[in-house]
Amino acid sequence: MRFSGRKVLVLGGNSGIGLACAEAFAREGGAVRLTGRDRGTIAAAVASVPGARGDSVDISDLAAMERFYEQVAAEDGRIDVLVVNAGMGGFAPIDQLSPDYWDQVHAINLRGCVFAMQKAVRLMGEGGAIVVTGSIGGHAFVPGNLAYGAAKAGLALAMRQFAGEYVSQGIRVNMVSPGPVETPLLRRNPGMSDEVVGAMRAQMIEAVPMKRMGRAEEVAAAVLFLASPEASFITAANLFVDGGALEIG
Ligand SMILES: NC(=O)c1ccc[n+]([C@@H]2O[C@H](COP(=O)([O-])OP(=O)(O)OC[C@H]3O[C@@H](n4cnc5c(N)ncnc54)[C@H](OP(=O)(O)O)[C@@H]3O)[C@@H](O)[C@H]2O)c1
């Protein structure tokens, strides 16, 4: 019960890794509030995560996020743990990379996440913890990954900046960077057939020394560790949960 009495906000908590985090925080006593866009999966998450509340708010819509935090401030008063997990995927080889796709990825995965942290941190205090979801794609060559990888690399830098600027307020900021994880993300790539998704999945597994995809629960375990008092002397760390892909792949 590491999160008993703690108010936990999971941005992007209605699917995949975020949902696994929401479930794990609730199991350990956290009062979970989660966001996403899709009202159906938010309702399902709220129904399955004990005590959770959910809100539909697009992280790239900064005005909507401002209104959301006003509601959080009024209803909850504070945030103890923030998980910045919302993100979209997608691949585009360099010659097919469009400015619109670049802007869409960066509006969510970098700009949206950065301003979501900026607004949330005002509701946090001594002992607060932020965990951001990065990706090995922000640190290594992955074919077709320029837009996504650049946004995640930027997010890793943002994590360090927040860690440095808020350390004096007793707020720790860390990142968990997964390798390939079995979630709905891969199947959300627009215009990709099942065959292409299957081939990409096989290619990803081949690049992982452990020769398998990760599970959302394995990433959640790392998020909970970094958010917990066990990690009290850890800030600005980037924990890779990737079956060894980055270092020995
Ligand atoms: N799966 C992997 O292999 C992998 C590897 C490395 C890093 N990651 C990162 O892990 C995080 C979670 O991804 P996942 O694999 O669990 O995929 P997922 O199941 O597709 O989850 C993505 C989450 O982000 C939310 N989201 C996306 N765009 C949003 C927006 N504009 N506003 C608010 N919420 C938004 C989604 O909510 P809606 O469904 O309502 O849009 C959903 O909750 C992402 O940051 C991703 O980049 C994943």
Side-chain angles (χ1 to χ4, degrees), residues 9-12 35 58-62 65-66 68-69 79-86 107-125 128-134 151-167 169 171-176 235-237:
L9 174 61
V10 184
L11 302 175
T35 73
D58 185 334
I59 202 166
S60 67
D61 181 343
L62 302 193
M65 286 298 287
E66 186 72 56
F68 166 69
Y69 281 119
I79 299 167
D80 298 312
V81 174
L82 174 72
V83 181
V84 185
N85 172 74
I108 296 172
N109 292 12
L110 183 54
R111 185 174 184 267
C113 286
V114 163
F115 287 100
M117 287 163 74
Q118 182 204 48
K119 293 185 182 101
V121 82
R122 295 174 189 150
L123 296 176
M124 301 181 79
I130 301 177
V131 183
V132 185
T133 309
K152 290 293 190 182
L155 197 53
L157 186 278
M159 177 276 291
R160 210 155 57 231
Q161 286 294 131
F162 274 83
E165 293 193 22
Y166 286 91
V167 68
Q169 295 185 31
I171 298 169
R172 298 181 302 102
V173 188
N174 292 289
M175 176 170 265
V176 166
T235 197

Side-chain angles (χ1 to χ4, degrees), residues 14-15 17 37-38 58-59 85 87 134 148 152 179 181 183 188:
N14 52 331
S15 176
I17 292 167
R37 290 171 299 185
D38 182 73
D58 185 334
I59 202 166
N85 172 74
Y148 178 88
K152 290 293 190 182
V181 179
T183 72
R188 292 196 202 219

Side-chain angles (χ1 to χ4, degrees), residues 2-27:
R2 288 175 294 181
F3 299 96
S4 194
R6 306 282 277 168
K7 297 188 181 190
V8 180
L9 174 61
V10 184
L11 302 175
N14 52 331
S15 176
I17 292 167
L19 179 57
C21 290
E23 286 165 345
F25 277 114
R27 258 197 312 276

